[in-house]
Amino acid sequence: MCLACADDSAPASAPPTPYDLTQEEFKQRMDEPDVVILDVRTPAETSLGMIEGAEEIDFKAGDFADRVDSLDRDKTYLVYCRSGNRSGKACALMDELGFREVHNLEGGYMGWTEER
């Protein structure tokens, strides 16, 4: 299956990925050195709001894998999407590409905004 074609309509009870961080854990890690916050939502989604300081790389874009492949593998990536499904898949891809440390925001941006 094409990763970029997948949607994030996973049920709320989907099991956590090995990359998941809770909202609080994610927030605590944001200010650590060499951390990059990565928003993998579409431009239409990011236009509605983003986590401050996040970089955008659209998971559904045809060049997603190439753009991720060009990132520094030695940094820590905190990745999120709308609900946590696409970002979990992005974390799995980044892990396969040899990134040192990647984490998925459990519940995605929807959970983040509910917590705020």
Side-chain angles (χ1 to χ4, degrees):
M1 174 174 74
C2 169
L3 285 177
C5 300
D7 69 48
D8 59 346
S9 58
S13 61
T17 69
Y19 314 106
D20 283 353
L21 292 179
T22 65
Q23 306 287 329
E24 190 57 39
E25 291 167 331
F26 193 94
K27 184 178 180 184
Q28 290 172 356
R29 302 286 311 266
M30 288 173 58
D31 293 326
E32 292 179 2
D34 292 324
V35 166
V36 176
I37 303 166
L38 188 60
D39 186 327
V40 298
R41 297 176 300 153
T42 65
E45 291 171 310
T46 61
S47 71
L48 301 174
M50 294 176 59
I51 294 175
E52 187 174 337
E55 296 180 20
E56 297 176 60
I57 301 181
D58 180 0
F59 184 81
K60 293 182 178 183
D63 65 347
F64 177 78
D66 290 336
R67 291 187 63 197
V68 166
D69 194 35
S70 70
L71 298 174
D72 184 346
R73 284 166 170 70
D74 292 325
K75 293 187 182 274
T76 297
Y77 290 87
L78 304 179
V79 187
Y80 72 95
C81 65
R82 184 181 64 86
S83 68
N85 188 38
R86 279 176 284 175
S87 51
K89 292 175 183 177
C91 286
L93 173 65
M94 294 171 79
D95 188 43
E96 288 176 19
L97 291 172
F99 283 78
R100 179 177 62 85
E101 188 174 358
V102 293
H103 297 286
N104 178 43
L105 175 60
E106 190 175 88
Y109 190 71
M110 289 188 319
W112 182 265
T113 55
E114 288 173 6
E115 291 289 318
R116 305 290 158 254

